[in-house]
Amino acid sequence: MRCPFCGNIDTQVKDSRPAEDHVSIRRRRFCPACGGRFTTYERVQLRDLVVIKSNGRREDFDRDKLERSIRIALQKRPIEPERVDQMISGIVRRLESMGETDIPSKTIGEIVMEALARIDTVAYVRFASVYKNFQAADDFDKFVSELRPDAAPSEE
């Protein structure tokens, strides 16, 4: 593993243990060249996934990009970080176990929205606003009203 501080390729593992999510290994590393210490995570990857964008473009699946978008949706929400990590790992496992290496971005978005809807409605609406490309307040209003179909409209 290359040292992120000096670029040395000969670093040493000082400690390994399961990460909090129990689906990855956390390794503390030391660089003998510069004395830097850093942490890496090792995860099982069942297959290399390719995302098919809506415009037909293909790009390698990036777990970090998925994690960033989910964390943005959950920003300042009362959800434990461990639960978020478990949700992300579950989404990736689900994608990898679909049997296909090419996954449409729409499928990924729908799976993320499903997962967010189960843990936090506000994060679900935030993610949906980007995923469904809301343009006006009416888009939010229509989407939120679909979340509560039995709520009667208020009469003023």
Side-chain angles (χ1 to χ4, degrees):
M1 176 64 63
R2 184 179 301 275
C3 174
F5 306 112
C6 71
N8 179 29
I9 58 171
D10 187 27
T11 59
Q12 301 169 354
V13 175
K14 291 297 181 188
D15 180 46
S16 290
R17 64 181 66 170
E20 295 82 24
D21 59 4
H22 295 287
V23 295
S24 60
I25 301 292
R26 178 183 182 272
R27 300 195 193 282
R28 283 297 293 159
R29 295 181 176 267
F30 171 76
C31 176
C34 71
R37 294 179 180 274
F38 58 101
T39 302
T40 60
Y41 292 88
E42 180 180 320
R43 290 186 181 84
V44 172
Q45 182 174 337
L46 298 176
R47 60 177 44 102
D48 290 330
L49 299 175
V50 176
V51 178
I52 311 298
K53 301 295 218 170
S54 55
N55 64 4
R57 198 167 45 90
R58 301 165 59 86
E59 68 179 50
D60 291 337
F61 175 77
D62 183 354
R63 180 191 171 100
D64 293 334
K65 186 175 178 181
L66 173 70
E67 184 174 347
R68 274 192 310 276
S69 65
I70 290 172
R71 290 199 187 276
I72 288 169
L74 286 165
Q75 200 167 21
K76 297 185 180 181
R77 299 300 301 152
I79 309 297
E80 304 81 26
E82 298 80 31
R83 187 156 183 213
V84 176
D85 291 339
Q86 289 171 348
M87 181 182 77
I88 293 165
S89 294
I91 290 169
V92 173
R93 274 194 309 275
R94 185 169 167 190
L95 293 171
E96 289 176 338
S97 64
M98 290 175 75
E100 298 290 326
T101 55
D102 294 356
I103 312 256
S105 59
K106 182 178 181 183
T107 302
I108 297 170
E110 289 168 0
I111 291 171
V112 170
M113 285 182 48
E114 251 177 57
L116 285 172
R118 283 194 300 270
I119 67 167
D120 189 83
T121 309
V122 172
Y124 171 64
V125 173
R126 285 178 179 170
F127 187 87
S129 72
V130 175
Y131 173 68
K132 293 183 179 281
N133 196 21
F134 291 176
Q135 298 294 318
D138 290 343
D139 297 335
F140 280 96
D141 189 38
K142 182 179 178 212
F143 184 77
V144 171
S145 68
E146 289 171 5
L147 292 177
R148 292 177 272 139
D150 38 321
S154 60
E155 296 180 21
E156 293 180 27

